[in-house]
Amino acid sequence: MRNFFTFCLFVFSAFIYGQTSDAAPANYKVIDYLTYPYKYLDKDFKIKISDKTFQESVVKNQFIASRVIGKKYTDSLSVVLMAEFGNWEQSRLAQFKISYGWERVGAHLLISAEDAKNLGKRYEQVYPYKMSVFLRDEKNHDAYLKTLFQNLRKELFLLTGDKKVDNLSISKLMDEANRKSPDRIKLYLATQFEKEHGRKPKDSEIGKSCGRNDCCQTRTPD
């Protein structure tokens, strides 16, 4: 009986999902979402959607209104992209690439967002996501970038003390730097503190556990 109930629930959920989301086109993974001619975003990815269309997307795609209306840009962007594409696969992929910022590129290199942006200008990369892809391909590495990554290995080793850093591929080196980035971790913990306590933390409070098992300062970013 339980198995039958579970099956019925699955079928019902699939039906509901099918009513609110179209299938993504076969080529959706290879579309360039950073130069895509959006109806509801301008060339700088600023939202240009009518309130009526936005509200319709909230209802049709079963967003929780209190979590997306009047909230941060990324929440509104989710609604807008679903109005644009009508399917979750494209919407999530487009949002990931649009929202990929210079802060994230910097975390992959253990440098500031401003330095990452300047590095992008040096190699004529306008979009942070594309800069990350560019850096991961060693064929693009000139003498400057080779030195940059040599220094990154040294810095990451000093940060972690892990000898495996010497043998990581460029892509895995960037991912490990992102995981261990002190600036990224500090920002994450500050965000967790503000969510938990309703105020911005003092520098002395960041990373300091209050002793509770679920202390916001003992959490780790993805």
Side-chain angles (χ1 to χ4, degrees), residues 97 99-121 125-136 148-149 152 174-175 177-178 181 184:
K97 293 184 177 183
S99 301
Y100 202 106
W102 291 112
E103 294 84 359
R104 185 160 185 169
V105 177
H108 281 294
L109 302 173
L110 299 182
I111 61 177
S112 69
E114 188 63 28
D115 286 343
K117 188 173 184 179
N118 288 334
L119 187 65
K121 289 180 180 177
Q125 296 293 327
V126 176
Y127 303 107
Y129 176 79
K130 289 190 175 183
M131 182 58 179
S132 181
V133 173
F134 176 86
L135 290 170
R136 289 172 189 272
L148 184 147
F149 279 102
L152 177 59
M174 289 176 62
D175 289 340
N178 180 58
S181 168
R184 176 175 176 261

Side-chain angles (χ1 to χ4, degrees), residues 20-46:
T20 59
S21 177
D22 298 328
N27 68 334
Y28 83 95
K29 290 185 179 180
V30 298
I31 292 172
D32 187 346
Y33 293 103
L34 297 173
T35 59
Y36 188 86
Y38 292 98
K39 290 184 292 184
Y40 304 124
L41 298 173
D42 68 15
K43 63 182 180 62
D44 297 315
F45 307 119
K46 292 181 180 178

Side-chain angles (χ1 to χ4, degrees), residues 73-112:
Y73 168 79
T74 51
D75 294 326
S76 297
L77 183 61
S78 298
V79 178
V80 170
L81 289 174
M82 277 302 291
E84 187 85 40
F85 296 118
N87 69 81
W88 293 104
E89 290 86 353
Q90 276 188 288
S91 298
R92 287 168 179 155
L93 186 55
Q95 178 154 3
F96 172 73
K97 293 184 177 183
I98 290 171
S99 301
Y100 202 106
W102 291 112
E103 294 84 359
R104 185 160 185 169
V105 177
H108 281 294
L109 302 173
L110 299 182
I111 61 177
S112 69

